[in-house]
Amino acid sequence: MLNPYVVALAAEEHVNENVPNEWLVGGVTLAILLAMLLALLIFGAGREHS
């Protein structure tokens, strides 16, 4: 048997409209990580190892 409190909460559940696009968040995250990787490669290219 279902709990009436749980049924009432489920009926009042709404979708949050303030969530940004997941593709935009993923793209920005990927761009930041790739920029950090590029900076690491550029920094490492100037070092000589003996």
Side-chain angles (χ1 to χ4, degrees):
M1 178 156 187
L2 291 175
N3 188 347
Y5 183 71
V6 174
V7 174
L9 282 179
E12 293 180 10
E13 186 177 344
H14 63 281
V15 177
N16 188 0
E17 298 294 332
N18 294 329
V19 177
N21 188 354
E22 63 268 12
W23 288 99
L24 178 64
V25 173
V28 169
T29 304
L30 184 60
I32 291 171
L33 290 174
L34 288 175
M36 291 170 59
L37 181 62
L38 183 63
L40 179 66
L41 291 175
I42 290 172
F43 178 74
R47 298 284 183 173
E48 291 187 19
H49 299 283
S50 56

